[in-house]
Amino acid sequence: MKGFLRYFSIIMCLAILIGAFTACSGNQNSSEVSQSQGQANNQPSQNDSNQNTKDTQDSGDSNEPVKIIIWGGVPEENGPSALVEEFNKTHEGIVAEYVRFVNDETGNTKLDTALLSGEQIDVYFTYSIPIMTKRIEGGMAEDLSNFDADTFVKENIGEEGVFKYDNKYYSIPTAKEPYYIMLNKAIFDELGIDIPTEWTVDEYREICKKLVDESGDKKRYAIHGYLDLPRMVLGDNYWYKADAQESNFDDPIFAQSYQLYHDMMYEDGSAFPYTEVLARKMEAYAQDLFLTEEVAMMLSAPWHLRYVRDTESYPHDWVATFAPLPVLEKGKEYYNLGTLNNWIMMNSKSEHKEAAWEFIKYWLTDGSKFLLAGGKVPVWKDVDLDEVTEGLLGDNAEALFDVEAFKRVALDPNLKYILDTETVAAPEIDQIIKEESDKMYL
């Protein structure tokens, strides 16, 4: 009942919020609203941006190398350091420097503060649509049309699944992030449970009950991670009804999904407690739970692979295997929870935009191989899939991973990725969901 009542609180909050935003926008569509918001925040026009680029090129000592600063969420040792080193070797006249920020609420606030304060940041990464929308509308992002990004994206990535704001590229995704379930194969083998190659949500819940172990000093839970059924069923723009004038949270699939997660925590005792998730700051970086066997499974994406490979920090002698996301009904088509992600963006206030654009292109193409060790699946069309698998799983792959299961599940070419195009009140909605979820599950 507690989860049910909190769910209706979410519906009311979001209905009021979207109603207020759409009322303020009158008859404008979402693109027009976005455009006016950008102008209100002194977002540079294309002509201004071109002039800024020209001014930068014409100023300064031409014999001095241009220094550019890049902020990203991937640890330096997991690819960026090697990428930057190679870029600096192959791009005379440009010196790139990488600064790592932690991709959580604190880290993103730190990045926003630095952008707004005028600290030198030429290129930076964003990892969610709501945060990206806020940065674009706040005038922190360069319109990449000034560098013919449309042609670059079409030739090197393909346009399907690539986010545009106001029909323009302010960002380019650098990685595919499919979602799947990563499992401790030893636990499944010990319990005689077959590794699922397909499964329903009901089957998933029953298996989770079997994976719980309370016999030792510390309880082992079955799973960490919220299975976002509304996302899988409704797909793109799932927060909104078709015209984006109303929230979509009255769709029954939202209540079903919230209730499932609630019941798996409080009735089954199989889902890792939300109280612990918050207390231990496990919202994004939950690999510790899986690799120390506090959970038998976790909702996962390729960037988690780097932690499995790090046997010095996480010593273990068992194999990680992979299963697709559970679905409501077998035989029906569902969206994967993943997207083209890890968006690279240019600061609109950068004084070195041409150099920044050269770096962006390099990261997306030849430089993408350096990020494989960090669990980043490149979006580049010309990448070699065997090289991707080897780079993601490492030299000791067979000892740590079920390689064939990984290829089948994570690199499935038929995965249906999500592309959100509606952004009305997206940062505000995201914050309300977080606050109300905290209340619902605590």
Side-chain angles (χ1 to χ4, degrees):
M1 177 62 73
K2 177 184 175 183
F4 187 72
L5 291 174
R6 291 306 322 168
Y7 168 67
F8 274 101
S9 174
I10 292 176
I11 291 178
M12 292 301 296
C13 288
L14 293 168
I16 292 169
L17 176 69
I18 293 181
F21 267 76
T22 54
C24 290
S25 65
N27 293 324
Q28 290 178 303
N29 61 30
S30 60
S31 295
E32 291 168 337
V33 173
S34 302
Q35 187 175 21
S36 65
Q37 288 170 328
Q39 292 167 347
N41 286 283
N42 298 317
Q43 187 169 318
S45 69
Q46 182 167 335
N47 289 335
D48 290 340
S49 182
N50 285 336
Q51 184 62 46
N52 288 341
T53 301
K54 183 177 184 300
D55 290 345
T56 301
Q57 291 172 317
D58 290 346
S59 64
D61 185 346
S62 59
N63 293 322
E64 287 294 320
V66 172
K67 181 179 181 180
I68 57 173
I69 307 294
I70 301 94
W71 279 41
V74 179
E76 293 92 331
E77 66 273 16
N78 290 319
S81 180
L83 183 151
V84 166
E85 182 180 354
E86 186 63 22
F87 175 85
N88 288 340
K89 287 179 183 177
T90 56
H91 291 74
E92 186 177 354
I94 307 174
V95 176
E97 179 182 320
Y98 183 83
V99 176
R100 196 256 172 137
F101 73 94
V102 178
N103 179 32
D104 59 11
E105 186 174 355
T106 301
N108 279 289
T109 299
K110 182 179 179 181
L111 172 55
D112 289 339
T113 301
L115 288 167
L116 290 169
S117 70
E119 180 177 339
Q120 184 187 351
I121 300 175
D122 301 284
V123 176
Y124 62 91
F125 282 82
T126 301
Y127 301 91
S128 81
I129 293 284
I131 294 175
M132 179 161 57
T133 300
K134 182 175 70 172
R135 288 172 179 161
I136 294 169
E137 293 174 352
M140 305 178 208
E142 176 74 7
D143 174 6
L144 298 178
S145 301
N146 300 322
F147 303 91
D148 197 16
D150 289 79
T151 300
F152 177 82
V153 169
K154 186 175 182 180
E155 292 179 351
N156 291 279
I157 300 171
E159 298 168 300
E160 185 176 353
V162 181
F163 177 79
K164 278 188 169 184
Y165 181 95
D166 199 18
N167 204 34
K168 296 176 182 178
Y169 290 118
Y170 288 87
S171 65
I172 302 176
T174 63
K176 297 177 181 178
E177 284 206 337
Y179 272 75
Y180 45 76
I181 305 293
M182 185 158 59
L183 312 88
N184 182 323
K185 188 173 184 296
I187 294 174
F188 274 72
D189 289 347
E190 179 186 347
L191 296 174
I193 303 173
D194 294 332
I195 306 297
T197 55
E198 60 173 355
W199 47 348
T200 66
V201 170
D202 289 339
E203 290 169 338
Y204 159 77
R205 185 174 179 181
E206 289 305 309
I207 287 176
C208 283
K209 292 176 184 177
K210 296 176 183 177
L211 293 170
V212 175
D213 183 2
E214 300 187 73
S215 61
D217 295 334
K218 180 180 284 188
K219 177 178 179 178
R220 183 185 71 210
Y221 294 88
I223 183 75
H224 171 273
Y226 165 68
L227 187 62
D228 196 346
L229 295 177
R231 193 56 141 163
M232 295 171 62
V233 172
L234 302 173
D236 305 338
N237 304 313
Y238 75 135
W239 285 349
Y240 310 93
K241 295 190 187 297
D243 58 1
Q245 300 296 301
E246 297 179 79
S247 74
N248 202 30
F249 289 84
D250 57 351
D251 190 297
I253 191 62
F254 284 95
Q256 181 180 353
S257 188
Y258 292 141
Q259 196 67 54
L260 173 68
Y261 188 39
H262 180 277
D263 291 349
M264 288 179 67
M265 278 192 289
Y266 290 103
E267 289 186 14
D268 304 345
S270 61
F272 191 78
Y274 193 73
T275 50
E276 285 291 303
V277 171
L278 296 182
R280 295 167 61 179
K281 300 186 185 301
M282 295 287 181
E283 296 96 321
Y285 296 92
Q287 68 279 347
D288 289 21
L289 302 178
F290 180 67
L291 291 169
T292 58
E293 299 186 66
E294 289 187 68
V295 296
M297 305 185 293
M298 69 178 293
L299 185 65
S300 185
W303 63 271
H304 285 123
L305 299 171
R306 65 179 182 253
Y307 299 106
V308 182
R309 291 173 56 177
D310 183 3
T311 53
E312 183 175 336
S313 299
Y314 300 100
H316 61 284
D317 59 0
W318 44 267
V319 168
T321 189
F322 307 88
L325 299 175
V327 297
L328 292 173
E329 293 182 50
K330 292 178 183 177
K332 287 191 173 183
E333 188 178 59
Y334 294 89
Y335 287 86
N336 187 267
L337 294 177
T339 60
L340 304 186
N341 202 299
N342 291 228
W343 293 279
I344 195 167
M345 306 175 73
M346 187 189 300
N347 185 359
S348 61
K349 297 179 178 64
S350 170
E351 295 181 356
H352 308 296
K353 291 178 181 176
E354 291 293 342
W357 177 241
E358 287 302 312
F359 184 84
I360 288 171
K361 290 189 294 182
Y362 181 78
W363 188 294
L364 283 155
T365 54
D366 292 327
S368 62
K369 62 179 177 288
F370 295 104
L371 276 297
L372 291 171
K376 302 299 181 183
V377 181
V379 295
W380 190 27
K381 286 180 179 180
D382 293 340
V383 76
D384 181 87
L385 286 181
D386 288 334
E387 183 181 0
V388 168
T389 303
E390 183 179 345
L392 289 171
L393 303 186
D395 298 331
N396 199 27
E398 297 291 344
L400 296 172
F401 301 102
D402 184 340
V403 177
E404 292 308 312
F406 177 78
K407 288 181 179 178
R408 183 180 66 252
V409 173
L411 302 182
D412 180 358
N414 297 314
L415 291 180
K416 191 175 180 182
Y417 290 104
I418 292 159
L419 173 61
D420 289 323
T421 55
E422 297 293 350
T423 58
V424 176
E428 292 79 10
I429 293 173
D430 195 48
Q431 183 62 28
I432 287 174
I433 291 173
K434 181 183 183 304
E435 291 172 357
E436 296 300 321
S437 295
D438 289 352
K439 296 173 187 176
M440 189 187 317
Y441 299 130
L442 294 179

